């Protein structure tokens, strides 16, 4: 379970997160929607400890992410993350991209890491691209490669930060399909997304972010059909 | 007319051998200073990138000095002043020290650029996979950065190889010094300079060819 309590985050004087309370249960898919600049990415970075926080707490399976005693490198193996930019390692083949972290971080042998990489590449539909370098892959394929790379660490949670926003429209579908498969397999996911269709169909709950607070959270029906907050209504009217 | 004994004699096969040996010395002092200088330059580059404060007030001015004072001045100064602080270095060793620092100063900026070329988002991605700072450096930043700066680094290396000619002022018999000796004796400057030019070409051509090949392989 991911548990965020009274979280405040500043960049110098900029108060970006203004008291976030959030719980994500095992197996749950939470979509986070909201205007650009409302702090969605920052929240994900606070959850995996990339960014420090100034107030409140974040727990991942009872590990206090922002405690000095926490081994962040170890914690992050439990939290797969996929970004807007796919960030493939350009000097490595698809297979090596996926096998690298299992080998050096999880300490698996080369053969074990390779087996995992093969499995995960097949999982995301890149079973025919093992020896291809990223620059010969489309954006959609590179984003699926990034998903496979994260999955190879055997994470308990997946954090997606606008995974499809940088893609050409015709490539969005294949990445969303991959995310859908993960959700069906029971992966716990937090998806920051602008894909309202996806948020509606796949999520268990949807959180609407407004200026650093969770303005409204509820089932997809509640948020999309019957939102309470004026801000939510305005935002949804704009993105439709 | 009788053949008289002359001080000046023509260019002989033996002289070619003499130049060949000198070319090896050029190669040797260049290789050493490029290797050690690049290593140091990498470390300086990392300091410049990572510690904006100390890098800015300590390392940068030092490197600036090595970059901006003409190499020949550095060589002469170092060679003459090193004994004062108790360093008794011969021409080769003095040349090596100065060329190495010069290389390091040039490579430092290049290396910093290499680290910078790996964007923040790539760094966050590798850290998100659980890599430590040093694993990210070793497996992601280093290979990506070195490929990015490789052409500039080759430029620096070829430049240092040519600049190593200046060590001749200390009396180290590398290609240029050797050619001066031969020119004085044979009075055939044009021929000898041609031969020396050819030697420099032979030394640097494989480097440029090989690096072009590497670049092509990396960009495929
Ligand atoms: N590293 C940073 N330094 C300073 N300000 C930042 C940084 N990252 C994000 N911000 C600011 O924090 C706010 C929230 O950003 P972000 O979390 O990226 O929003 P979102 O993902 O919802 O678009 C924005 O105003 C952004 O400019
Ligand atoms: Mg964002």
């Amino acid at each position: 379970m991911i548990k965020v309590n009274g979280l405040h985050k500043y960049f110098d004087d900029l108060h970006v997160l203004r008291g976030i309370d959030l719980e994500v249960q095992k197996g749950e898919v939470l979509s986070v929607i909201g205007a650009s600049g409302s702090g969605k990415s920052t929240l994900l970075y606070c959850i995996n400890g990339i960014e420090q926080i100034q107030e409140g707490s974040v727990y991942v399976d009872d590990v206090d992410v922002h405690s000095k005693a926490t081994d962040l490198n170890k914690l992050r193996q439990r939290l797969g993350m996929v970004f807007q930019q796919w960030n493939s390692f350009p000097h490595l083949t698809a297979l090596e991209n996926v096998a690298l972290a299992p080998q050096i971080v999880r300490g698996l042998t080369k053969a074990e890491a390779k087996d995992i990489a093969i499995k995960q590449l097949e999982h995301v539909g890149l079973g025919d691209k093992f020896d291809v370098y990223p620059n010969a892959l489309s954006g959609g394929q590179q984003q699926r490669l990034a998903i496979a790379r994260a999955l190879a660490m055997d994470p308990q949670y997946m954090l997606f930060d606008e995974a499809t926003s940088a893609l050409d429209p015709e490539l969005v579908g294949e990445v969303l399909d991959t995310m859908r498969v993960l959700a069906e397999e029971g992966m716990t996911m937090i998806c920051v997304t602008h894909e309202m269709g996806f948020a509606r169909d796949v999520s268990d709950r949807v959180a609407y972010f407004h200026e650093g607070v969770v303005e409204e959270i509820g089932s997809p029906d509640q948020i999309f059909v019957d939102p309470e907050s004026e801000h939510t209504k305005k935002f949804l009217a704009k993105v439709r | 007319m009788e053949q008289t004994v002359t001080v000046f004699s023509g260019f002989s096969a033996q002289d070619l051998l003499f130049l060949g040996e000198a070319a090896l010395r050029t190669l040797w002092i260049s290789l050493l200073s490029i290797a050690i200088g690049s290593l140091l330059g990498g470390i300086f580059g990392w300091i410049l990138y990572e510690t904006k404060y100390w890098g800015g007030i300590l390392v940068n001015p030092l490197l600036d000095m090595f970059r901006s004072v003409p190499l020949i001045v550095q060589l002469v100064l170092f060679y003459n002043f090193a004994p004062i602080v108790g360093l008794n270095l011969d021409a080769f060793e003095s040349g090596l020290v100065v060329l190495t620092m010069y290389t390091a100063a040039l490579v430092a900026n290049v290396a910093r650029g290499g680290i910078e070329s790996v964007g923040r988002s790539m760094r966050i991605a590798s850290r998100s996979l659980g890599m430590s700072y040093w694993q990210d450096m070793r497996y992601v930043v280093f290979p990506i950065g070195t490929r990015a700066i490789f052409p500039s680094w080759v430029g620096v290396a070829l430049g240092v190889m040519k600049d190593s000619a200046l060590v001749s002022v200390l009396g180290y018999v590398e290609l240029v010094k050797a050619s001066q000796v031969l020119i004085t004796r044979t009075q055939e400057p044009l021929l000898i300079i041609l031969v020396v030019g050819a030697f420099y070409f032979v030394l640097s051509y494989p480097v440029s060819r090989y690096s072009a090949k590497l670049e092509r392989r990396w960009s495929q």
Side-chain angles (χ1 to χ4, degrees), chain A residues 11 14 16 35-43 51 161-162, chain B residues 120:
Chain A
F11 287 110
L14 189 64
V16 176
S36 159
S38 56
K40 306 179 299 295
S41 301
T42 304
L43 173 67
E51 290 288 359
D161 189 3
E162 300 193 29
Chain B
R120 175 176 140 86

Side-chain angles (χ1 to χ4, degrees), chain A residues 1-195:
Chain A
M1 186 171 75
I2 294 177
K3 208 168 161 183
V4 180
N5 274 321
L7 170 61
H8 287 262
K9 164 76 191 168
Y10 296 79
F11 287 110
D12 299 319
D13 288 341
L14 189 64
H15 196 175
V16 176
L17 299 179
R18 306 158 170 257
I20 306 275
D21 294 291
L22 200 63
E23 274 188 32
V24 181
Q25 304 294 332
K26 271 256 119 122
E28 191 181 10
V29 177
L30 173 74
S31 287
V32 178
I33 62 174
S36 159
S38 56
K40 306 179 299 295
S41 301
T42 304
L43 173 67
L44 295 188
Y45 288 155
C46 290
I47 290 175
N48 77 353
I50 295 280
E51 290 288 359
Q52 315 235 310
I53 67 175
Q54 279 69 48
E55 219 185 299
S57 63
V58 178
Y59 281 85
V60 173
D61 300 332
D62 296 326
V63 176
D64 181 354
V65 176
H66 296 276
S67 152
K68 287 221 162 34
T70 300
D71 179 350
L72 282 176
N73 297 330
K74 199 159 184 125
L75 172 85
R76 288 183 188 135
Q77 296 177 43
R78 251 188 274 175
L79 295 159
M81 185 152 180
V82 177
F83 306 83
Q84 187 173 336
Q85 303 93 324
W86 30 88
N87 295 315
S88 324
F89 302 138
H91 57 297
L92 302 177
T93 63
L95 192 84
E96 291 164 343
N97 258 273
V98 182
L100 176 64
Q103 208 182 325
I104 66 172
V105 178
R106 288 173 71 188
L108 303 181
T109 66
K110 207 170 173 169
E112 288 167 335
K114 190 178 169 189
D115 284 346
I116 288 174
I118 290 173
K119 194 181 102 194
Q120 291 302 347
L121 283 171
E122 281 167 351
H123 193 177
V124 301
L126 295 176
D128 55 342
K129 303 288 184 194
F130 293 158
D131 298 322
V132 173
Y133 283 89
N135 64 0
L137 296 174
S138 73
Q141 289 169 331
Q142 290 197 58
Q143 193 58 299
R144 286 186 280 144
L145 174 60
I147 295 174
R149 193 170 69 177
L151 290 174
M153 297 306 290
D154 201 16
Q156 307 296 302
Y157 305 91
M158 286 290 286
L159 312 176
F160 290 89
D161 189 3
E162 300 193 29
T164 59
S165 293
L167 292 173
D168 292 338
E170 72 270 20
L171 301 176
V172 168
E174 59 188 75
V175 173
L176 290 181
D177 287 345
T178 306
M179 292 169 64
R180 211 169 256 136
V181 168
L182 283 184
E184 278 159 16
E185 289 167 358
M187 177 61 79
T188 312
M189 294 162 55
I190 301 181
C191 309
V192 172
T193 184
H194 286 304
E195 295 292 331

Side-chain angles (χ1 to χ4, degrees), chain B residues 16-35:
Chain B
L16 198 63
L17 205 68
F18 179 60
L19 281 180
E21 273 173 26
L24 283 181
R25 284 196 205 100
T26 287
L27 186 66
W28 180 230
I29 198 166
S30 305
L31 271 183
L32 276 181
S33 43
I34 290 167

